[in-house]
């Protein structure tokens, strides 16, 4: 390691007393509702326009249904749940998220026909109640996608539609640096959920076929984001993938983690203004005839 490279040797969280995060988010979208909530709606929405683009690309895969009943799994602060409800002329929409902070923020979007509830989307299950099951950038936080998608598919009525989008960028240098630094600061760092949980596009196509979706669309898409500078990548990942380190590191360790990450990142990505941030995502849609 280069002697000029910032190190995290001043802080290492001991094994004793540390909560093991596994493959789920730290108090976030998909895991059980225990422990502190590491999700910050304001931080997440710093790049709202960029994050909304794949949401609406996914929504455009949905075929028209008269007054559908919809569920948005991993709804976040609910803004887009309400927008999708209006866009699709839904009769009723439910948003589910396991972050108390996100659900609290979603209260302003609640109406008589748009409701929100705290829940674990990895364990969420209904039987034949919905016309659309929609999940944008949330499935990656939970493990065993084959079983989870089977449960979600079971919530659909006849001819119902399943629409899911997941990031597929675990191999991006910014994410590899986060994993490297986590290994330096933690004895058992939580794995990158994208690397740990997300399947390949062709594997998702097989899963949809096995679940009876004889009509399907699965694609890998690269989103071209132009950020003001390399430093803005830090702010982007602070709202998503870095959140998994908050709980095991604690406040002191988390602050040091972000500081060291910020100093190392230009050596990995280059110090550029503006910065081009290519972001791979998988979009999938299925409907039973």
């Amino acid at each position: 390691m280069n002697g000029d490279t910032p190190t995290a040797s001043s802080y290492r969280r001991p094994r004793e007393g540390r909560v093991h995060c596994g493959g789920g988010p730290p108090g976030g979208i998909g895991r059980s509702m225990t422990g502190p909530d590491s999700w910050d709606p304001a931080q997440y929405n710093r790049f709202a326009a960029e994050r909304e683009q794949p949401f609406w690309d996914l929504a455009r895969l949905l075929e028209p249904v008269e007054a559908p009943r919809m569920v948005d799994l991993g709804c976040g602060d609910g803004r887009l749940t309400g927008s999708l409800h209006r866009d699709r002329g839904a009769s009723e929409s439910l948003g589910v998220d396991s972050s108390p902070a996100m659900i609290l923020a979603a209260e302003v979007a609640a109406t008589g026909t748009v409701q929100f509830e705290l829940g674990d989307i990895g364990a969420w299950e209904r039987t034949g109640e919905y016309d659309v099951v929609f999940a944008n950038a949330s499935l990656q936080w939970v493990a065993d996608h084959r079983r989870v998608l089977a449960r979600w598919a079971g919530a659909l009525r006849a001819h119902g539609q399943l629409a899911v989008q997941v990031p597929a960028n675990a191999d991006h240098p910014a994410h590899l640096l986060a994993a490297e630094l986590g290994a330096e600061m933690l004895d058992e760092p939580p794995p990158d959920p994208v690397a740990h949980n997300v399947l390949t596009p062709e594997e998702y196509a097989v899963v949809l076929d096995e679940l009876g979706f004889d009509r399907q669309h699965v694609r890998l898409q690269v989103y071209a984001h132009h950020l003001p500078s390399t430093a803005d990548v830090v702010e982007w990942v602070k709202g998503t993938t870095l959140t998994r380190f908050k709980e095991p590191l604690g406040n002191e360790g988390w602050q040091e983690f972000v500081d060291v990450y910020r100093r190392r990142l230009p050596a990995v990505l280059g110090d550029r203004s503006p910065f081009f941030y290519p972001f791979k995502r998988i979009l999938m849609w299925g409907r039973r005839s």
Side-chain angles (χ1 to χ4, degrees):
M1 184 176 294
N2 190 304
D4 293 330
T5 302
T7 68
S9 58
S10 61
Y11 184 93
R12 185 175 182 86
R13 186 66 179 253
R15 188 183 303 269
E16 293 77 16
R18 186 177 52 73
V19 178
H20 176 61
C21 287
I29 293 167
R31 65 169 289 184
S32 60
M33 296 162 290
T34 59
D37 185 359
S38 297
W39 285 88
D40 181 346
Q43 181 69 38
Y44 185 83
N45 285 325
R46 287 191 62 166
F47 301 95
E50 291 85 355
R51 297 192 194 281
E52 288 179 17
Q53 185 181 352
F55 180 98
W56 290 113
D57 286 347
L58 184 66
R60 280 189 282 271
L61 294 178
L62 295 172
E63 295 181 342
V65 177
E66 184 176 356
R69 190 164 188 247
M70 306 177 67
V71 61
D72 182 7
L73 299 174
C75 63
D77 66 5
R79 292 182 308 107
L80 294 177
T81 308
S83 296
L84 183 65
H85 174 88
R86 293 186 293 273
D87 181 73
R88 291 288 147 177
S91 61
E92 181 181 342
S93 292
L94 172 67
V96 181
D97 201 290
S98 72
S99 165
M102 289 293 192
I103 291 298
L104 181 62
E107 287 183 359
V108 299
T111 67
T113 55
V114 180
Q115 299 294 316
F116 298 93
E117 67 179 36
L118 201 61
D120 178 354
I121 67 168
W124 186 88
E125 189 171 11
R126 299 291 188 275
T127 302
E129 297 183 17
Y130 292 93
D131 299 295
V132 174
V133 172
F134 192 91
N136 178 68
S138 56
L139 178 63
Q140 74 273 11
W141 289 109
V142 301
D144 200 348
H145 287 187
R146 289 175 173 83
R147 289 191 180 184
V148 173
L149 289 172
R151 283 196 288 269
W152 293 1
L156 291 171
R157 294 169 172 169
H159 313 298
Q161 301 177 70
L162 176 68
V164 179
Q165 182 268 121
V166 290
N169 61 328
D171 58 349
H172 189 276
H175 293 254
L176 297 176
L177 176 61
E180 175 185 323
L181 184 55
E184 293 176 18
M185 297 183 70
L186 290 164
D187 292 325
E188 297 178 18
D192 184 335
V194 176
H196 195 66
N197 298 327
V198 172
L199 307 178
T200 64
E202 57 270 31
E203 286 175 315
Y204 284 120
V206 170
V207 171
L208 291 179
D209 184 70
E210 291 175 346
L211 292 175
F213 293 102
D214 52 319
R215 299 176 57 209
Q216 63 166 265
H217 175 102
V218 181
R219 74 174 186 259
L220 177 68
Q221 182 164 339
V222 180
Y223 286 85
H225 301 308
H226 291 88
L227 305 185
S229 70
T230 302
D232 288 280
V233 176
V234 180
E235 300 307 314
W236 180 293
V237 295
K238 274 177 63 179
T240 51
T241 190
L242 297 191
T243 60
R244 72 186 192 267
F245 298 108
K246 278 187 177 181
E247 183 180 345
L249 284 171
N251 290 334
E252 178 188 351
W254 163 250
Q255 290 303 322
E256 178 167 350
F257 182 98
V258 173
D259 289 344
V260 175
Y261 182 85
R262 191 187 310 276
R263 294 197 299 271
R264 285 192 190 178
L265 193 63
V268 174
L269 298 183
D271 193 359
R272 301 189 182 97
S273 296
F275 179 77
F276 178 69
Y277 187 26
F279 203 106
K280 293 182 292 187
R281 296 181 183 272
I282 298 170
L283 291 83
M284 66 191 92
W285 167 88
R287 189 174 193 179
R288 297 179 177 127
S289 298

